[in-house]
Amino acid sequence: MGNSESASTDPRFISATRSFTHKKLEDLKTLFTSLAFQSQSNGEFISPSVFQTYFGIHGQLGERMFDLVTQKRKDQKLTFQDLVIAKAIYEKGTKEEIEEFIYQLLDVTGDDILSRSDLKIALVAILDTVFPPNDSEPGISSSHEDIVDVFLNAGTFSKKVEGSAENCMSFEDFKSWCSLLPSVRKFLGSLLMPHDLGRPGYQVPRLVLGNTDPNFIILRREYAWHIGGLLPQLELEEWNLLYHSSVHGLSFNTFLGNIS
């Protein structure tokens, strides 16, 4: 039967539908119908390329997300059942269920081992999405390699891997790592939201430096994004430079006056 099986016979689907209002289910059905049409599948399924384009998740991270959403069937077909079940777990599940989903998502190679190389692939994909290569605003570097290394070094890899000298990241390690990198956690928790609705984890504060040379500023946009992971959306619009000794002088009274 496979994908042709009636959704009403799948207990996971029935359970998942209870997580949504009737209006939300209708909206999901409308979305599915539109994406299935773009997939040229006679309304039966969403293709990997259409899925990745709509949700803005590309490369190995996008492939892994598609694999998880389709329940690892490897048939390259995302059904309406799949979409509802995945969104119910990923967006409406318990904190533990959501974190388990993200933990599996980061295992981009799908070998049930969350290695340092898996995390590096995911982090590069995240930073390339938040900071596109053609982004030319002041304060952004041309390479994310140093930022990726900082984020990787914040993690603990305590789980032994049979036949390997390199440990991997356990689920507990992962949860601890997320607490240190709220921007990464926020990004990974919003991937199935439409990318044009201002997803959490995507917004980077605009650094207003005035006439100050960006090379004099320690705070890079990548670090501002990282700090912003702990802040509400309204506080991520614009960050103004209040004081810099090269512009305002070395007066402590000036410093206090500017920041107060």
Side-chain angles (χ1 to χ4, degrees):
M1 297 283 286
N3 291 326
S4 64
E5 184 178 1
S6 170
S8 63
T9 64
D10 190 333
R12 295 168 302 171
F13 176 78
I14 296 171
S15 177
T17 59
R18 300 191 185 109
S19 300
F20 302 101
T21 63
H22 178 72
K23 173 66 167 58
K24 180 61 177 176
L25 284 173
E26 288 297 313
D27 290 344
L28 286 177
K29 186 63 177 179
T30 299
L31 172 62
F32 174 81
T33 300
S34 172
L35 297 182
F37 175 78
Q38 294 175 46
S39 301
Q40 300 180 342
S41 67
N42 293 322
E44 294 184 4
F45 60 85
I46 300 170
S47 68
S49 60
V50 169
F51 171 84
Q52 292 186 33
T53 298
Y54 177 78
F55 289 106
I57 321 169
H58 301 285
Q60 286 181 268
L61 190 64
E63 292 168 4
R64 179 60 173 168
M65 175 61 93
F66 189 85
D67 188 42
L68 290 180
V69 172
T70 56
Q71 303 172 64
K72 305 179 185 179
R73 286 193 310 272
K74 311 295 184 185
D75 61 2
Q76 305 298 295
K77 297 177 181 180
L78 193 160
T79 67
F80 181 59
Q81 284 189 97
D82 294 330
L83 183 63
V84 173
I85 292 170
K87 286 181 76 71
I89 296 171
Y90 181 63
E91 296 177 358
K92 303 291 186 179
T94 64
K95 184 173 183 289
E96 193 82 358
E97 288 172 335
I98 294 170
E99 289 184 336
E100 175 63 34
F101 188 99
I102 296 173
Y103 178 68
Q104 292 186 52
L105 172 63
L106 289 175
D107 173 23
V108 293
T109 53
D111 59 1
D112 297 323
I113 297 172
L114 182 51
S115 66
R116 188 180 177 92
S117 60
D118 283 320
L119 278 187
K120 184 171 184 176
I121 291 169
L123 286 171
V124 169
I126 291 169
L127 290 168
D128 281 347
T129 301
V130 177
F131 303 99
N134 60 352
D135 189 332
S136 59
E137 288 190 36
I140 185 168
S141 66
S142 58
S143 170
H144 305 307
E145 187 173 344
D146 56 339
I147 305 293
V148 169
D149 285 341
V150 169
F151 287 1
L152 283 175
N153 291 336
T156 300
F157 298 82
S158 66
K159 187 176 178 180
K160 302 286 186 184
V161 180
E162 187 176 350
S164 173
E166 184 179 295
N167 288 356
C168 69
M169 181 175 275
S170 69
F171 186 47
E172 293 304 315
D173 293 338
F174 163 73
K175 290 190 289 186
S176 297
W177 185 68
C178 283
S179 70
L180 297 174
L181 300 175
S183 53
V184 173
R185 172 62 181 82
K186 188 184 287 187
F187 179 98
L188 291 170
S190 65
L191 292 177
L192 288 183
M193 293 176 60
H195 65 275
D196 58 347
L197 295 183
R199 286 178 182 166
Y202 280 65
Q203 190 168 359
V204 182
R206 188 166 72 88
L207 303 181
V208 181
L209 308 180
N211 296 322
T212 307
D213 186 339
N215 293 318
F216 292 162
I217 304 299
I218 296 174
L219 182 64
R220 289 165 48 176
R221 293 184 65 228
E222 295 97 331
Y223 296 142
W225 170 73
H226 170 55
I227 295 169
L230 286 172
L231 301 176
Q233 292 292 101
L234 291 176
E235 296 181 19
L236 298 177
E237 298 288 340
E238 189 174 274
W239 291 4
N240 293 280
L241 177 66
L242 299 180
Y243 175 85
H244 195 287
S245 59
S246 69
V247 176
H248 305 101
L250 297 174
S251 168
F252 187 63
N253 287 335
T254 300
F255 168 73
L256 290 179
N258 285 8
I259 65 173
S260 62

